[in-house]
Amino acid sequence: MPRPLTLNRPALVAAAALGAFALTTLPAAATATPAQIATSKTNGVAYLKSLQAADGSYAGSGLSNEWAFSAFAAAGTAAVDVTPGGDTSKNARTVYRNLLSTSGWPSASPVVTDYERAALNAYAAGVDPARVSASRNLIADIYRYWQTAEPGYFGPSANFNATVFAALALNGAKTTTGQVRVPQALREAITTRLRANQHNDGGWNYSKAEGNAAQLAAASDIDMTGAAMASLCASGVPNTDTDIAQAKAFLKSKLIANSGAFKALFGVNTDSNGWAVSGLNACGINPQTGDFLTSQGKTPVDFLIAQQFNPGGGFKYLPSDTGPSAYASIDGLRAVAGGGFTSAPPVPATAGAPQWVGENSFTSGTATKLALTVDDGAGNLKVCSVALTPTGSTTTLGAVLDAAVTSATPSGCVTAVTPASGTGAVTSVNGKANSGANTWKVSVDGSSFVSAAREYAVGVGDTIAVRWGS
């Protein structure tokens, strides 16, 4: 699945982790049985555990294996249970959370996909993405990249990949109670862009196609078709939808009968197959029956298992490779295990370890960010990340709206609020006043909307939606 969200296939091969641990006999290809899938998961988890560094890390500078958390969760292994040599103080979840909490992460020149990747994997590792620390809110970090000139896109629209993974992260990285935390208006805005970029052949590619007849007519890629399908389904689109049906037909047209592999733009490989299968999984489409069972009785899962070394557990990138690739092993395991592009973390086996960790309150005097949407009820949705420095363990809606006037990215999210201070009902935002039954309302983390008041309590990591309407 998403490496650092780039298309550098040679780099993935060069980064492959090799070792006698994984260089053992490959199984004969056959329709994958539940027993074979269980064995694949067991051996795949063992291989991914072998990639953990001595300090407990999976992520750092350069190419990173943090997508392992999405594969672990899909396979039923909690990241907090993954430790180097049994040293629980260096468990993978704690080390990853500490990395994400540092001020220097991800780099001096971050891009939105850094935060999307982190949100999906933090969620799978059992770290609330909005509450990594008192200062780190990955949802707010993603909101910073909303394109005001092209609503619905995140990051430069030419890199359509970033909008696909924004949809996956904002919809898939739910609250710890399983609630989609972003408002419906935002989900619909992104979905509109996802649909507009579907190619004529039913699939998608990494670059923007909307409004470009030549790009819409260009060949789609297996990888991004799987990711885009998953992003639509994560956004609430049913798998019976016409666009999902067209994507299924595209994938079916690329099946190779004698192996079950998909013929990708980069040739037959585990990563492309894994992304496609994860897309099917995310949409609740069985990759081993119906359209995905070939005339020779093969399925995409058969191909993936045939790419795996057993008992070593690593997956090859290309069928001709003689050793495993870390990225291919992550993509392959997650898909075989039935995962999409993230999964809720399993209950840990480690005694006393909680399923979820996250910051519980603001730290007074510590700068932070909050995710905010403002919907005027007339189709003018504004999305931003608000920077503020709380003076207590909680703050208020009034303080957030006031801060948004001067400290929002992108700017212009909030230009004016009435009343401008004190307490009481919010009667006007951005010059639009309450009118009869249509008033300003507020929701946090996907909760029901209630009347917006300046004193409304806001906690660390809350995803705030303000809306005008009845």
Side-chain angles (χ1 to χ4, degrees):
M1 152 186 212
R3 314 28 116 163
L5 292 174
T6 66
L7 278 172
N8 190 349
R9 301 293 185 178
L12 301 186
V13 177
L18 302 175
F21 175 80
L23 300 179
T24 49
T25 305
L26 287 166
T31 300
T33 65
Q36 286 175 311
I37 291 173
T39 297
S40 177
K41 289 164 60 176
T42 297
N43 293 340
V45 165
Y47 175 74
L48 294 190
K49 285 183 176 180
S50 77
L51 301 179
Q52 187 177 28
D55 64 359
S57 67
Y58 278 88
S61 60
L63 291 174
S64 170
N65 292 326
E66 67 196 289
W67 282 111
F69 299 125
S70 68
F72 279 135
T77 295
V80 71
D81 294 333
V82 179
T83 62
D87 186 346
T88 57
S89 69
K90 298 177 181 178
N91 73 78
R93 179 171 73 183
T94 295
V95 172
Y96 187 49
R97 183 186 182 191
N98 289 343
L99 171 68
L100 300 181
S101 298
T102 59
S103 59
W105 180 89
S107 70
S109 302
V111 292
V112 65
T113 50
D114 292 330
Y115 302 110
E116 294 161 355
R117 180 178 67 249
L120 289 163
N121 283 291
Y123 177 78
V127 180
D128 186 337
R131 299 172 176 87
V132 177
S133 69
S135 59
R136 175 67 69 196
N137 179 340
L138 294 168
I139 305 302
D141 287 329
I142 295 170
Y143 271 35
R144 291 180 62 235
Y145 292 85
W146 173 260
Q147 301 295 293
T148 56
E150 296 181 281
Y153 283 107
F154 284 82
S157 62
N159 182 24
F160 174 62
N161 175 61
T163 296
V164 169
F165 279 88
L168 287 168
L170 297 177
N171 289 288
K174 300 176 182 179
T175 69
T176 59
T177 59
Q179 175 69 43
V180 174
R181 67 180 84 220
V182 300
Q184 185 63 25
L186 176 54
R187 302 178 80 192
E188 291 174 358
I190 302 173
T191 297
T192 296
R193 296 299 190 178
L194 297 174
R195 293 186 187 277
N197 280 276
Q198 188 171 27
H199 290 211
N200 300 342
D201 62 11
W204 287 265
N205 212 325
Y206 283 78
S207 58
K208 181 182 178 182
E210 181 181 6
N212 186 323
Q215 284 296 315
L216 290 169
S220 297
D221 189 15
I222 296 298
D223 303 55
M224 280 309 297
T225 297
M229 283 179 70
S231 68
L232 281 174
C233 290
S235 300
V237 174
N239 63 14
T240 54
D241 182 86
T242 299
D243 289 339
I244 299 299
Q246 292 173 346
K248 279 178 59 182
F250 168 75
L251 291 178
K252 180 183 178 181
S253 74
K254 299 298 180 180
L255 270 177
I256 299 172
N258 65 0
S259 67
F262 292 108
K263 186 177 181 181
L265 292 179
F266 291 91
V268 172
N269 69 84
T270 295
D271 290 305
S272 295
N273 242 72
W275 281 38
V277 172
S278 284
L280 294 171
N281 290 338
C283 287
I285 299 168
N286 191 328
Q288 288 221 95
T289 61
D291 289 337
F292 300 100
L293 177 64
T294 75
S295 61
Q296 296 187 35
K298 303 297 181 183
T299 74
V301 176
D302 295 332
F303 170 75
L304 290 173
I305 291 179
Q307 289 285 94
Q308 187 178 27
F309 293 95
N310 283 310
F315 288 73
K316 299 186 292 182
Y317 170 58
L318 297 173
S320 59
D321 289 343
T322 58
S325 156
Y327 283 116
S329 299
I330 291 167
D331 288 344
L333 175 60
R334 185 184 53 251
V336 170
F341 288 83
T342 193
S343 299
V347 175
T350 301
Q355 183 180 13
W356 294 98
V357 292
E359 198 70 21
N360 294 318
S361 62
F362 292 117
T363 298
S364 180
T366 297
T368 191
K369 299 182 182 73
L370 289 169
L372 172 68
T373 57
V374 179
D375 179 1
D376 69 356
N380 301 308
L381 179 68
K382 296 182 181 295
V383 180
C384 60
S385 174
V386 181
L388 73 163
T389 302
T391 57
S393 59
T394 63
T395 189
T396 64
L397 176 62
V400 174
L401 295 176
D402 293 344
V405 174
T406 58
S407 303
T409 306
S411 61
C413 195
V414 177
T415 56
V417 183
T418 303
S421 62
T423 61
V426 174
T427 58
S428 176
V429 178
N430 297 342
K432 186 158 189 173
N434 291 346
S435 177
N438 292 305
T439 62
W440 286 99
K441 296 177 173 60
V442 63
S443 162
V444 296
D445 285 351
S447 64
S448 298
F449 280 86
V450 298
S451 295
R454 285 190 60 89
E455 64 269 25
Y456 183 90
V458 173
V460 64
D462 282 352
T463 298
I464 307 161
V466 176
R467 184 188 74 189
W468 185 91
S470 58

